[in-house]
Amino acid sequence: MKDYIEERALEIAKYIINENATVRQTAMVFGVSKSTVHKDVTERLPKINPLVAGDVKKVLDMNKAERHIRGGKATKMKYKAINN
């Protein structure tokens, strides 16, 4: 694996942990695709640093468990904006 990919994976991991960020938010900040972020943290990161990978997995699992709530809030805001 190339050095810049390892560095990116670690930077992405730090960002996700510190900000409790979603894959989509992280992709926008780093200017890469959601697929790249996901591959970095699920496939590459465990080989580079398994401890950090575990921390990232906890954040992503929490985000996954809460995504239906965020989706509901977004829909509510959308229709509220339309009706005003």
Side-chain angles (χ1 to χ4, degrees), residues 27-81:
M28 287 174 45
V29 168
F30 284 87
V32 294
S33 69
K34 294 182 300 181
S35 300
T36 300
V37 171
H38 193 265
K39 184 167 183 143
D40 281 354
V41 298
T42 59
E43 294 180 20
R44 295 178 178 135
L45 191 60
K47 295 174 186 172
I48 299 167
N49 191 330
L51 295 176
V52 174
D55 292 342
V56 170
K57 183 166 176 29
K58 288 176 189 173
V59 173
L60 294 181
D61 287 346
M62 180 186 67
N63 287 340
K64 187 174 183 181
E66 294 174 350
R67 71 180 169 192
H68 67 284
I69 296 168
R70 285 191 303 273
K73 285 182 181 178
T75 302
K76 182 178 178 180
M77 290 176 62
K78 173 184 173 184
Y79 286 106
K80 192 173 185 178

